[in-house]
Amino acid sequence: MGLLTKIDNGIQAFKSAFSGDGDDDLLGLKYARLENGSHSYNYETERFGLLGLLGLGSPFEKPIENLKYYYTKTLFLQDCINFYADFASQVVIKEVDERGEEVKNSEYVRFLSNPNGFQNQVDFIKEMVINLLATGASFQYGNFFKNGNLKISPQLYNLDFNNLSFPKIENRYALSRKDIQELPIKEHIANGKTRPLKMYELAFFYDTIPYNGFGKNEYNASDFYKPMSRVFSQIDSIRTLMNTQSSMSHMSGHNVNKLISKSTSPGEKLKALPGDQKYDIEQKLNGFGRYGMKRGKAGDIIATNETLTVSDLTRDGRKMQMIEMQSNAKDNVRNCFLIPQDFFGDSTYENKQWSESRFILGQVKTITDNWLNELTHKSPGYFEARKTKLIGTYDHIGSVAETVKRLENEKLLSENKAFQAKTEALISMMVAFEQMKLIIPGITWDEFCNDNDFNKFLKA
């Protein structure tokens, strides 16, 4: 690479770092990749520091696409993810010892009730779950992870995956545990500035699994931290929901069905009309103003005031297929997030209660368990000395409590039925033994049981 090329790279890197991006760019160009069918994160390479201005230094990879865009723009996807977030935020966190007994007045649990100066526990957990399910990974910064000291203004924050730049991992097997803990991470904050972080300051876990460098043809060092978000597999269905939602909104308004122009030659563009002619034509055809009784009516016939091509805007039966397409897309998204059908539409109270309990204890609890296990792992200075850990429970939620109670009652009833059946069988055996003594005088109980292979039943 020539010197001039390096200088040019440096200038471009400088402009990229300090110019900042506008909202239009963020909502347009960077998402266009996904809307064009990309089902994986793309990365842009950056270099930091003085050498970075010359295109030198260690490369960092930053994800381009932000899948939270789809969460904010697609109502049904938002509903599905919010089911997780709302239930997860109701978790009761406990610190327990080796025997599973709760530690009273836990300092760590008290801290998690207000993890930072901006959020309480509920808001923090909701943000974490949305980040996890939308982007595929949850990243958190804790200023106390290294020493576990919660007495000096501890802070725990959720970090947005798209605001982080990661170093390329060329050979993970060559890194020691200390090397991994000291890996540099960059967080992008306002006005093109970055904040340096170390790996030991981050707690993170994935919704499914990370790529870990998996590439289409060979190992890709840029993809080491890249998560496999479930949203990627649903891009087509999510786009269907966005498109049908927009189309149905348009169809429900006062739509234009006909365009009028002086030119009606086939294939010829419609010519613009002067303003006074346009207004006069629309008044006459739509029947409002002095030409009709429907004063103020919004007409669906307009005259052209600019050069336009003809578009068929008539409502027809084919457009009603959008409802079917939308329903199919919703089922795809719901199934992807393993949300029971009973959460939507009509269902019995018992089925909804059972589905909610199963969903909480199966899908939601998995997320909070992973989070609490990660916090326990990232705070050895606190937990190892105490020989404790964090757990989360949902037994206080009505559906969970009722389901647990019902299962316990069913188990007790089953045990009672089994005991009753065994008792009746034993009585029948004793009657049969008395009858056998009439046929074979002198036979003992042990001989009777051995001859008829009843010993296994008695042991059971």
Side-chain angles (χ1 to χ4, degrees), residues 82-292:
N82 283 348
F83 275 129
Y84 279 86
D86 291 339
F87 284 128
S89 66
Q90 299 179 54
V91 65
V92 173
I93 301 173
K94 299 178 181 179
E95 182 180 348
V96 298
D97 59 22
E98 293 177 302
R99 297 186 298 275
E101 296 180 0
E102 183 180 1
V103 176
K104 301 298 182 182
N105 300 318
S106 166
E107 184 180 7
Y108 209 105
V109 173
R110 185 168 59 251
F111 158 67
L112 288 179
S113 66
N114 187 217
N116 58 65
F118 296 98
Q119 294 175 304
N120 58 29
Q121 179 177 303
V122 171
D123 293 336
F124 180 87
I125 292 177
K126 284 185 177 182
E127 182 184 39
M128 173 190 71
V129 173
I130 292 170
N131 285 346
L132 176 70
L133 296 180
T135 68
S138 169
F139 288 84
Q140 295 174 354
Y141 163 77
N143 62 353
F144 58 92
F145 283 154
K146 190 171 186 179
N147 54 28
N149 190 347
L150 298 179
K151 300 184 183 299
I152 307 178
S153 186
Q155 298 263 39
L156 183 65
Y157 283 97
N158 289 304
L159 303 182
D160 196 309
F161 175 62
N162 287 81
N163 291 338
L164 300 176
S165 290
F166 302 92
K168 283 188 175 182
I169 305 297
E170 300 288 351
N171 183 1
R172 60 179 173 178
Y173 306 108
L175 298 174
S176 67
R177 289 184 178 270
K178 183 178 180 181
D179 293 333
I180 295 172
Q181 292 298 310
E182 295 292 332
L183 282 173
I185 309 291
K186 304 289 183 180
E187 182 189 10
H188 297 256
I189 52 180
N191 300 320
K193 298 179 181 178
T194 59
R195 183 170 73 116
L197 299 170
K198 293 290 187 180
M199 181 63 75
Y200 65 76
E201 296 178 288
L202 298 183
F204 60 95
F205 61 99
Y206 296 88
D207 179 28
T208 55
I209 59 173
Y211 274 80
N212 277 344
F214 167 78
K216 184 176 181 180
N217 299 317
E218 58 183 10
Y219 179 85
N220 186 345
S222 300
D223 290 346
F224 187 79
Y225 293 100
K226 182 168 66 174
M228 293 184 182
S229 172
R230 280 188 264 186
V231 172
F232 280 122
S233 66
Q234 296 300 309
I235 291 294
D236 292 335
S237 294
I238 292 171
R239 274 207 308 270
T240 298
L241 291 175
M242 295 174 69
N243 294 337
T244 56
Q245 186 173 301
S246 176
S247 297
M248 292 171 72
S249 174
H250 172 75
M251 290 174 62
S252 66
H254 299 294
N255 305 315
V256 175
N257 288 327
K258 296 179 181 178
L259 301 176
I260 303 298
S261 173
K262 288 183 177 180
S263 174
T264 57
S265 300
E268 186 177 349
K269 289 186 176 181
L270 303 181
K271 295 181 179 179
L273 295 174
D276 57 342
Q277 293 184 27
K278 170 182 167 61
Y279 181 71
D280 183 67
I281 289 174
E282 290 177 352
Q283 278 189 320
K284 292 176 180 176
L285 293 177
N286 289 310
F288 62 87
R290 59 178 177 166
Y291 296 102

Side-chain angles (χ1 to χ4, degrees), residues 239-357:
R239 274 207 308 270
T240 298
L241 291 175
M242 295 174 69
N243 294 337
T244 56
Q245 186 173 301
S246 176
S247 297
M248 292 171 72
S249 174
H250 172 75
M251 290 174 62
S252 66
H254 299 294
N255 305 315
V256 175
N257 288 327
K258 296 179 181 178
L259 301 176
I260 303 298
S261 173
K262 288 183 177 180
S263 174
T264 57
S265 300
E268 186 177 349
K269 289 186 176 181
L270 303 181
K271 295 181 179 179
L273 295 174
D276 57 342
Q277 293 184 27
K278 170 182 167 61
Y279 181 71
D280 183 67
I281 289 174
E282 290 177 352
Q283 278 189 320
K284 292 176 180 176
L285 293 177
N286 289 310
F288 62 87
R290 59 178 177 166
Y291 296 102
M293 299 300 294
K294 301 177 181 179
R295 184 175 300 277
K297 171 183 178 292
D300 61 356
I301 302 176
I302 66 169
T304 59
N305 62 352
E306 59 182 47
T307 302
L308 299 171
T309 56
V310 178
S311 298
D312 182 9
L313 302 177
T314 305
R315 299 179 182 91
D316 57 35
R318 289 174 297 177
K319 293 182 179 178
M320 300 306 294
Q321 293 177 358
M322 285 190 293
I323 296 177
E324 183 178 350
M325 290 188 292
Q326 191 177 61
S327 297
N328 181 262
K330 285 182 177 180
D331 284 340
N332 291 339
V333 174
R334 180 183 59 79
N335 291 332
C336 178
F337 286 99
L338 303 177
I339 298 176
Q341 177 65 47
D342 295 309
F343 278 33
F344 305 93
D346 296 330
S347 182
T348 64
Y349 173 78
E350 290 77 10
N351 286 345
K352 284 187 176 180
Q353 190 178 59
W354 173 255
S355 296
E356 180 179 304
S357 175

Side-chain angles (χ1 to χ4, degrees), residues 22-70:
D23 290 340
D24 291 340
D25 179 53
L26 288 175
L27 293 178
L29 178 62
K30 292 192 176 183
Y31 300 109
R33 296 173 185 265
L34 290 178
E35 293 173 357
N36 286 341
S38 170
H39 287 201
S40 178
Y41 283 109
N42 292 296
Y43 284 92
E44 56 186 359
T45 302
E46 299 173 333
R47 299 173 188 269
F48 295 92
L50 294 177
L51 291 177
L53 297 178
L54 297 177
L56 304 174
S58 300
F60 285 77
E61 303 299 328
K62 183 177 182 296
I64 297 175
E65 299 87 1
N66 191 339
L67 298 184
K68 288 171 73 174
Y69 166 78
Y70 290 103

